[in-house]
């Protein structure tokens, strides 16, 4: 029978099964011609080298919640997935593999190397896709894209050629961040800066034809071999007499001029600086102003070049040591001081980058940033959370040109040809792409030099920065530059969800590229997404960033094997309050696994009891035909719990829809959690238990109808948050026979007719009463099953009436033997009293617990607490302990002490009551 539910909730089996069904049946295929308002979103394409990490898990969960919610709410929904070729990251991985085989890419040649990367991609790339399918993300896999696929290759070529023709892409010899390990230029964003302890060397340069010296300070002495001047500030009195003279560059005996430049900082070092135009960006600019020679003393792999004379062939750091030694020997090293400085590191391989003068391709950013600034200022693009808006605007306003060329082989090769005769550049004729050897390349290769007509053309060897193609992602995945049906229907996308760590790398570039390249006359038409939601970062339980070196990385796939995807999703969602990072611990996940279990057991209980009413000849169709939902709540003898649960459903539905509308995922999850666990399982089902197999057939049928309708409705509310559990249980319901998936049902909208403030108020009073009884029992340690007598006093007639009308349920859920109701004050007597504004309740524990034994027990407990409090106080008063223990231990101890004091106070009060 379909509705049989196994005893144990086994998420692994359920999740694997449904994930496969959703994928195989192409359940989330978008229909461009479908009905309804449009909702579209692109997946931030993970690297093809990647594996799901906890950050992806958070991101995919948030997107999936919104997508499932919108789809169920009747939107024509597209979630477009895909992967990024991740130029430098992938090339580094494959190079590492080759090294193991003793191979170098230079020996293999470009074509063979590319073949190896594709082979590697076919084998181990796409692991992340399998993982995503297993996680059940509801994207449209039929529209999956890869940045090197022919249509996307063409989009990249088209974008490059357009920007080139418009003069926004140019080639030039400039200072770039250079990684000597990867042997490529890097953008500013790919260079991370670390604060490190370095040294400042003070070196004496003799002034030619005199005994004078000028001392310069440098953090990189090896670059002095490329010095072409010494510079001082024009108003620096100390050096005025030296301006215009020649200095003799130590170790080379080359003569270089002493020049005056206003950019020199008089406070740094000695106020005189060496000028090395080929190895420092500021010196490069100064060299341009003073027409200085550029002497490159290093090779691309970080060794000293032939221009370094005697030091040629040495590694850059070995050369540094040797040069310092030689200067010392010649008496030219004045002194060395320690110097904290910021060092640029290659984000990919962690090698110290070298500023290097080289010919690269650049994209002019100011003209592209201007419309983006306008879009944000005019709120045509909204940024959530609000504090990121200013950061975004500041970056766009101060943007610098972007170095887009990389000296790599894996990526989109620049469609420009250089002439062997005249050196002119000829672009590809158009952006057409052909497939050769299974991969895309530009088809419209020029035959003749555009300037001199020569046939000696060679294609530029560089590829584009991987973020150039990611920057086109919303356009290229929807078919641009063709005006496809998908582009017309789903562009601009509704929303982008990404981590704030890639705001500049990716989000900003999509905004600029989209605004410049998309068809359409207005910003509204061209903007790639209308809303940008930046999610938090997942940290470890102590709030530390997860990292392999710290060993605190949580592998989501391991967690899922242990607790299930739904539990992890829910934990991440509940904790994702906007603007705060998430401190994730296994206990959190465990508690949401318990939540899933609670719902599972509630369902099992229902189906177990269903047999009883079926035995009385009631058919499932009578209880739960699909159309029955619309007529709930059905009238029953005891109407209150039903009026109340449907009123609660109306309220939580509104809260959840509101919260999701403004990305308050945590709030939506809290609401559904408390509804399901508290209202539905702990109160509603408990309340109804005796009525489920009622002797009154009509009443039992109405009760069951309400129960099924409410349960089905609540499962739909929960579905975006826990898709697997809800799908599994939903199919067990009698009213869903033949339906394909809960994810294709309507998302609940609030029914005004269900709202019933009177029922909610009444049930709140009853709950307060039952909870008060339970609390007193727990405090007195009354045996769980032992019924005790109670007395209630209330001046309000309607409260007394309510209590009398619901005496059965109060006695049952409060485990009371009797409840005496009076209108005045409670008479003096034994027992413990709890009061609210509406009633006073006394539990008569005399018959259940012995006051003398209780008093003795409490006194013992009081003694124990006194000792405990004293010892903790002493510990916290100890300065040595305070200064040595980690702050969190101290805080924890303080918190426990505060709790013990409250417990102590309660015991004192309880003893007073007893005596
Ligand atoms: Zn590197
Ligand atoms: Zn030519």
């Amino acid at each position: 029978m379909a509705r049989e539910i196994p005893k144990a909730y086994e998420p692994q089996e359920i999740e694997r099964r449904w994930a496969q069904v959703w994928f195989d049946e192409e359940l989330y295929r978008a229909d461009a011609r479908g009905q309804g308002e449009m909702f579209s979103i692109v997946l931030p394409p993970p690297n093809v080298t990647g594996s799901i990490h906890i950050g992806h898990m958070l991101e995919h969960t948030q997107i999936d919640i919104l997508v499932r919610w919108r789809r169920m709410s009747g939107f024509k929904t597209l979630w477009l997935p895909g992967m990024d070729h991740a130029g430098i990251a992938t090339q580094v991985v494959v190079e590492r593999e080759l090294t193991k085989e003793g191979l170098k890419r230079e020996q293999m040649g470009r074509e063979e190397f590319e073949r190896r990367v594709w082979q590697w991609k076919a084998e181990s790339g796409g692991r992340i896709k399998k993982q995503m399918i297993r996680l059940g993300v509801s994207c449209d896999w039929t529209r999956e894209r890869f940045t090197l696929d022919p249509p996307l290759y063409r989009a990249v070529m088209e974008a490059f050629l357009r920007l080139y023709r418009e003069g926004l892409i140019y080639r030039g010899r400039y200072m770039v961040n250079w990684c000597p390990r990867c042997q490529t230029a890097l953008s500013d964003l790919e260079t991370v800066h670390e604060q490190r302890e370095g040294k400042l060397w003070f070196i004496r340069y003799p002034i030619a034809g005199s005994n004078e010296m000028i001392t310069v300070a440098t953090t990189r002495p090896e670059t002095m071999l490329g010095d072409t001047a010494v510079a001082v500030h024009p108003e620096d009195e100390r050096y005025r007499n030296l301006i215009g003279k020649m200095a003799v560059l130590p170790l080379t005996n080359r003569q270089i001029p002493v020049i005056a430049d206003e950019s020199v900082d008089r406070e740094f070092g000695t106020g005189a600086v060496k000028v090395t135009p080929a190895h420092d960006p500021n010196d490069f600019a100064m060299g341009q102003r003073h027409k200085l020679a550029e002497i490159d003393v290093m090779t691309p792999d970080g060794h000293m070049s032939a221009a370094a004379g005697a030091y040629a062939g040495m590694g850059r750091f070995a050369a540094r040591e040797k040069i310092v030694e030689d200067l010392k020997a010649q008496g030219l090293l004045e002194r060395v001081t320690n110097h904290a400085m910021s060092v640029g590191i290659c984000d990919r391989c962690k090698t110290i980058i070298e500023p290097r003068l080289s010919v690269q391709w650049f994209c002019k950013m100011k003209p592209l940033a201007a419309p983006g600034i306008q879009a944000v200022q005019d709120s045509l693009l909204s940024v959530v959370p609000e504090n990121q808006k200013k950061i975004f605007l500041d970056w766009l306003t101060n943007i610098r040109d972007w170095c887009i060329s990389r000296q790599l082989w894996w990526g989109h090769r620049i469609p420009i040809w250089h002439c062997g005769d005249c050196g002119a550049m000829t672009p590809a004729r158009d952006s057409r792409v052909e497939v050769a050897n299974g991969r895309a390349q530009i088809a419209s290769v020029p035959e003749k030099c555009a300037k001199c007509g020569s046939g000696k053309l060679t294609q530029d060897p560089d590829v584009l920065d991987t973020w150039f193609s990611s920057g086109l992602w919303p356009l290229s995945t929807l078919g641009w530059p063709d005006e496809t049906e998908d582009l017309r229907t789903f562009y601009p996308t509704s929303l982008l969800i990404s981590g704030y760590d890639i705001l500049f790398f990716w989000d900003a570039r999509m905004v600029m590229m989209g605004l410049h390249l998309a068809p359409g006359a207005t910003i509204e038409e061209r903007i790639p997404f209308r809303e940008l939601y930046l999610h938090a970062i997942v940290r470890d339980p102590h709030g530390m960033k997860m990292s392999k070196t710290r060993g605190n990385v949580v592998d989501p796939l391991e967690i899922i094997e242990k607790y299930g995807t739904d539990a992890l999703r829910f934990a991440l969602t509940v904790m994702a309050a906007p603007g705060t990072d998430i401190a994730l611990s296994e206990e959190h996940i465990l508690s949401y696994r318990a939540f899933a279990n609670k719902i599972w057991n509630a369902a099992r209980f229902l189906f177990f009891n269903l047999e009883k009413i079926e035995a009385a000849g009631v058919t499932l169709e009578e209880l739960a035909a699909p159309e029955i939902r619309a007529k709930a709540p059905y009238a029953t003898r005891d109407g209150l719990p039903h009026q109340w649960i449907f009123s609660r459903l109306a309220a939580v539905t509104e809260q959840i829809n509101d919260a999701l509308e403004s990305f308050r995922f945590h709030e939506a999850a809290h609401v559904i959690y408390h509804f399901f666990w508290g209202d539905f399982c702990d109160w509603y089902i408990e309340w109804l238990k005796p009525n489920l197999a009622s002797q009154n057939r009509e009443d039992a049928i109405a009760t069951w109808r309400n129960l099924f309708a409410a349960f089905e409705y609540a499962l739909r509310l929960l579905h975006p948050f826990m898709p697997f559990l809800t799908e599994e249980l939903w199919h067990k319901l009698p009213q869903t026979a033949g339906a394909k998936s809960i994810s294709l049902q309507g998302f609940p909208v609030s029914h005004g007719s269900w709202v019933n403030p009177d029922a909610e108020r009444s049930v709140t009073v009853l709950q307060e009463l039952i909870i008060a009884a339970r609390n007193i029992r727990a405090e007195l340690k009354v045996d769980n099953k032992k019924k005790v007598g109670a007395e209630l006093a209330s001046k309000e007639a309607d409260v007394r009436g309510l209590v009398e009308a619901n005496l059965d349920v109060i006695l049952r859920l409060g485990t009371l033997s009797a409840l005496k109701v009076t209108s005045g004050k409670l008479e003096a007597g034994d027992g413990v009293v709890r009061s609210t504004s509406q009633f006073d309740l006394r539990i008569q524990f005399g018959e259940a617990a012995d006051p003398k034994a209780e008093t003795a027990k409490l006194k013992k407990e009081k003694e124990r607490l006194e000792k405990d409090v004293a010892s903790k106080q002493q510990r916290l008063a100890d300065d040595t302990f305070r200064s040595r223990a980690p702050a969190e231990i101290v805080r924890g101890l303080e918190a426990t002490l505060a709790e013990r004091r409250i417990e102590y106070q309660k015991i004192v009060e309880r003893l007073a009551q007893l005596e």
Side-chain angles (χ1 to χ4, degrees):
M1 221 163 35
R3 63 168 197 271
E4 256 173 37
I5 295 187
K7 193 161 181 227
Y9 162 55
E10 305 274 9
Q12 292 76 12
E13 185 276 324
I14 295 168
E15 292 177 0
R16 213 165 273 130
R17 177 158 43 83
W18 282 115
Q20 203 57 46
V21 170
W22 295 338
F23 178 77
D24 290 344
E25 304 223 340
E26 295 179 2
L27 221 55
Y28 306 120
R29 180 180 209 142
D31 179 4
R33 294 174 195 180
Q35 297 295 307
E37 207 180 316
M38 187 280 288
F39 181 81
S40 65
I41 187 165
V42 292
L43 174 78
N47 286 354
V48 67
T49 51
S51 175
I52 290 276
H53 59 64
I54 197 77
H56 289 126
M57 190 68 207
L58 174 72
E59 187 166 282
H60 296 178
T61 297
Q62 295 189 339
I63 299 177
D64 198 47
I65 288 172
L66 286 182
V67 166
R68 285 181 185 272
W69 169 61
R70 289 291 189 194
R71 189 185 292 115
M72 289 176 81
S73 301
F75 283 70
K76 172 163 70 181
T77 304
L78 168 65
W79 179 7
L80 195 148
M83 254 168 281
D84 197 292
H85 69 284
I88 190 166
T90 306
Q91 181 155 330
V92 167
V93 171
V94 177
E95 279 176 355
R96 251 181 235 142
E97 298 234 318
L98 289 175
T99 309
K100 283 184 211 151
E101 299 169 33
L103 290 169
K104 273 201 146 118
R105 75 174 157 110
E106 292 81 359
Q107 297 159 350
M108 299 172 77
R110 187 163 189 148
E111 216 163 281
E112 177 59 15
F113 178 76
E114 272 190 79
R115 203 187 56 76
R116 277 295 298 258
V117 187
W118 278 100
Q119 189 190 329
W120 179 87
K121 188 231 165 205
E123 285 160 11
S124 47
R127 176 180 42 201
I128 200 164
K129 176 182 172 181
K130 287 192 201 97
Q131 292 170 343
M132 284 183 67
I133 293 170
R134 163 68 182 78
L135 298 177
V137 295
S138 69
C139 49
D140 179 355
W141 289 108
T142 68
R143 282 177 167 86
E144 186 193 354
R145 297 289 182 266
F146 178 55
T147 44
L148 284 176
D149 282 346
L152 283 80
Y153 205 103
R154 179 171 158 236
V156 172
M157 295 297 113
E158 177 72 20
F160 181 95
L161 291 168
R162 274 199 206 176
L163 293 166
Y164 177 75
R165 284 191 204 105
E166 291 165 349
L168 291 170
I169 283 179
Y170 63 94
R171 190 168 184 256
R173 189 159 178 262
Y174 293 97
M175 190 65 57
V176 293
N177 306 303
W178 182 267
C179 174
R181 215 266 353 140
C182 299
Q183 294 198 37
T184 178
L186 302 171
S187 71
D188 291 345
L189 289 174
E190 289 164 314
T191 309
V192 289
H193 290 274
E194 277 181 16
Q195 204 61 30
R196 289 200 183 168
E197 197 54 50
K199 288 203 181 333
L200 198 56
W201 283 273
F202 290 77
I203 307 169
R204 297 193 184 103
Y205 287 16
I207 298 295
S210 79
N211 292 328
E212 278 184 279
M213 296 272 189
I214 186 162
T215 302
V216 299
T218 178
T219 58
R220 295 187 297 151
E222 68 280 9
T223 62
M224 68 178 285
L225 302 173
D227 285 2
T228 50
V230 171
V232 297
H233 195 275
E235 284 152 27
D236 194 334
E237 294 298 335
R238 293 171 290 179
Y239 302 114
R240 188 162 276 182
N241 64 320
L242 295 179
I243 297 168
K245 294 195 173 164
M246 298 301 276
V248 180
L249 184 64
L251 311 177
T252 69
N253 287 329
R254 196 153 42 78
Q255 294 211 351
I256 55 176
V258 179
I259 59 169
D261 193 282
E262 295 202 328
S263 72
V264 175
D265 176 4
R266 278 175 276 187
E267 306 297 317
F268 178 79
T270 58
V273 294
K274 60 196 269 310
V275 184
T276 325
H279 291 279
D280 178 273
N282 296 324
D283 293 7
F284 174 71
M286 209 188 290
Q288 298 269 303
R289 287 196 289 276
H290 297 271
K291 303 210 163 29
L292 298 174
E294 292 150 359
I295 303 177
D296 185 350
V297 295
M298 280 188 215
T299 59
D301 65 351
H303 286 71
M304 304 311 288
S305 70
Y311 303 93
M314 297 179 78
R316 52 186 169 150
F317 299 118
R320 176 180 297 178
E321 278 179 32
K322 184 77 171 71
I323 285 167
V324 170
E325 208 174 282
D326 292 349
L327 288 169
K328 210 187 266 174
Q330 295 182 22
L332 295 174
L333 186 68
E334 190 184 285
R335 61 195 160 105
V336 188
T337 59
N338 289 330
H339 182 67
M341 56 187 203
S342 160
V343 177
I345 313 279
C346 170
D347 191 27
R348 211 27 78 184
C349 75
K350 311 302 172 202
T351 301
I352 295 182
I353 64 123
E354 198 64 43
R356 182 179 166 81
L357 193 57
S358 65
V359 176
Q360 301 288 346
W361 291 90
F362 296 86
C363 186
K364 279 188 197 163
M365 298 311 280
K366 289 256 182 229
L368 293 177
I373 294 169
Q374 196 195 331
V376 176
Q377 281 171 345
D378 296 354
S379 298
L380 301 170
L381 168 64
S382 63
V383 182
V384 183
E386 179 76 19
N387 66 335
Q388 294 286 336
K389 186 171 158 177
K390 190 183 170 318
I391 297 171
F392 190 44
L393 279 174
D394 283 350
W395 190 77
L396 285 175
T397 309
N398 299 308
I399 200 160
R400 300 203 308 167
D401 285 0
W402 170 20
C403 175
I404 53 170
S405 49
R406 296 291 179 272
Q407 287 64 55
L408 303 171
W409 287 349
W410 176 242
H412 303 90
R413 193 163 172 182
I414 288 173
I416 299 285
W417 277 256
H418 300 281
C419 175
D421 285 327
C422 76
M425 296 191 288
T426 308
R429 290 195 305 277
D430 53 57
S431 63
R432 269 178 302 124
V433 159
E434 65 185 9
V435 179
N437 300 324
R439 51 186 185 266
Q441 57 188 47
I442 190 116
S444 51
V445 174
E447 276 137 30
K448 280 189 286 189
C449 169
K451 193 173 170 197
C452 75
S454 161
K456 274 207 266 174
L457 296 181
T458 44
Q459 189 174 359
D460 194 288
D462 292 351
V463 299
L464 289 165
D465 179 5
T466 203
W467 295 99
F468 190 91
S469 48
S470 344
L472 298 167
W473 188 243
L475 283 170
S476 60
T477 53
L478 292 170
W480 183 88
D482 293 334
E483 292 199 27
T484 59
E485 186 171 50
D486 271 7
L487 190 72
R488 280 197 306 274
T489 311
F490 298 114
Y491 192 96
T493 63
S494 315
L495 166 71
L496 182 79
I497 294 189
S498 95
Y500 57 75
D501 50 339
I502 55 169
L503 174 63
F504 306 140
F505 275 106
W506 190 48
D507 310 353
R509 280 158 181 171
M510 281 190 286
V511 170
M512 291 185 278
M513 295 284 216
L515 286 174
H516 191 75
L517 296 168
T522 62
I523 286 182
E524 287 99 315
E525 290 169 276
R526 296 196 307 268
I527 191 110
F529 33 84
R530 297 194 171 105
E531 281 186 290
L532 171 58
Y533 175 77
L534 298 160
H535 62 71
I537 282 180
V538 184
R539 296 173 182 271
D540 80 358
H542 308 290
M544 300 291 273
K545 206 166 176 177
M546 290 187 188
S547 79
K548 278 188 192 141
T549 42
R550 278 204 193 96
N552 61 351
V553 176
V554 168
D555 178 358
L557 297 161
E558 270 173 34
I559 296 277
I560 283 163
E561 274 312 306
K562 247 164 129 178
Y563 306 109
T565 311
D566 280 339
L568 178 56
R569 278 173 70 116
F570 210 86
L572 288 169
T573 308
V574 164
M575 301 179 74
T580 55
D581 286 345
I582 295 172
L584 185 69
S585 73
E586 271 195 55
E587 289 86 79
H588 290 123
I589 302 159
L590 201 61
S591 64
Y592 297 110
R593 154 83 203 225
F595 175 51
N597 227 7
K598 177 97 180 170
I599 297 169
W600 185 266
N601 287 334
R604 283 195 72 230
F605 171 81
L606 290 186
F607 291 116
F608 177 73
N609 278 281
L610 192 54
E611 286 171 10
K612 294 182 194 163
I613 188 157
E614 279 188 287
V618 178
T619 66
L620 290 180
E621 286 69 30
E622 277 178 272
L623 299 183
E627 67 275 9
I628 282 176
R629 183 205 296 167
K631 296 181 197 154
Y634 287 81
T636 57
R637 264 190 317 179
D638 178 12
L640 183 58
H642 304 289
Q643 288 155 10
W644 167 74
I645 200 77
F646 282 95
S647 186
R648 289 290 304 135
L649 272 173
V652 299
T653 300
E654 200 172 319
Q655 286 166 7
I656 291 168
N657 280 311
D658 277 359
L660 290 180
E661 199 74 57
S662 50
F663 311 112
R664 299 191 319 270
F665 298 100
H666 66 303
E667 196 183 306
H670 266 296
V671 168
I672 188 66
Y673 175 88
H674 290 293
F675 173 81
F676 233 129
W677 190 302
D679 294 346
F680 191 79
C681 293
D682 284 350
W683 291 101
Y684 186 55
I685 292 184
E686 291 300 323
W687 192 318
L688 298 187
K689 270 181 180 173
N691 310 354
L692 295 177
S694 168
Q695 295 307 306
N696 181 324
R697 196 169 183 273
E698 287 312 306
D699 198 55
I701 289 175
T703 299
W704 274 102
R705 284 178 170 178
N706 288 335
L707 194 48
F708 272 129
F711 192 39
E712 194 272 342
Y713 192 94
L715 284 176
R716 277 183 289 134
L717 280 175
L718 180 63
H719 177 72
F721 307 91
M722 288 191 151
F724 294 107
L725 174 78
T726 50
E727 181 82 292
E728 178 74 6
L729 292 179
W730 190 79
H731 284 278
K732 309 281 185 194
L733 297 175
Q735 67 262 54
T736 63
K740 212 168 201 177
S741 170
I742 186 174
S743 61
L744 304 180
Q745 308 305 308
F747 194 79
V749 283
S750 192
H751 285 260
S753 63
W754 289 354
V755 177
N756 191 329
D758 288 344
E760 294 212 36
R761 256 196 307 275
S762 298
V763 172
T764 303
V765 171
L766 296 176
Q767 285 174 331
E768 279 173 2
L769 175 53
I770 292 164
I771 289 168
R774 287 174 180 171
N775 286 347
I776 299 172
R777 293 174 56 95
E779 257 174 56
L780 296 176
K781 298 190 173 126
V782 177
D783 181 86
N784 275 342
K785 290 190 177 118
K786 175 110 188 163
K787 290 184 179 173
V788 292
E791 189 182 350
L792 177 120
S794 177
K795 292 199 171 73
E796 291 173 46
D798 52 348
V799 170
R800 293 196 304 274
L802 178 71
V803 169
E804 268 155 6
N806 292 282
L807 208 51
D808 282 359
V809 73
I810 296 169
L811 296 183
R812 186 158 53 82
L813 299 184
T815 328
L816 301 174
S817 53
L819 180 65
K820 188 178 157 200
V821 180
T822 59
S823 60
K825 280 188 179 169
L826 288 176
E827 290 159 30
D830 279 353
V832 172
V833 177
R834 282 282 174 283
S835 300
T836 71
S837 59
Q838 291 179 305
F839 62 79
D840 301 306
L841 176 73
R842 188 211 317 277
I843 296 291
Q844 293 151 343
F845 64 84
E847 50 189 291
D850 170 10
K852 273 185 194 147
E854 184 66 11
T855 307
K857 225 191 288 171
L858 287 173
K859 281 187 172 156
K860 238 186 201 171
E861 181 70 3
K862 189 180 155 212
E863 263 172 50
R864 194 187 66 78
L865 279 169
E866 265 166 351
K867 280 186 195 149
D868 195 23
V869 167
S871 101
K872 287 197 164 61
Q873 270 174 331
Q874 202 179 357
R875 203 135 176 254
L876 282 166
D878 179 358
D879 283 343
T880 324
F881 166 74
R882 271 188 176 273
S883 61
R884 291 208 185 138
E888 56 202 62
I889 301 272
V890 176
R891 273 201 303 275
L893 195 60
E894 284 169 343
T896 321
L897 177 61
E899 280 170 24
R900 294 287 171 278
R901 281 182 174 144
I902 294 170
E903 283 168 25
Y904 179 78
Q905 194 52 39
K906 280 193 166 180
I907 284 181
V908 172
E909 282 166 20
R910 229 186 294 161
L911 277 167
Q913 279 176 337
L914 283 165
E915 280 157 6

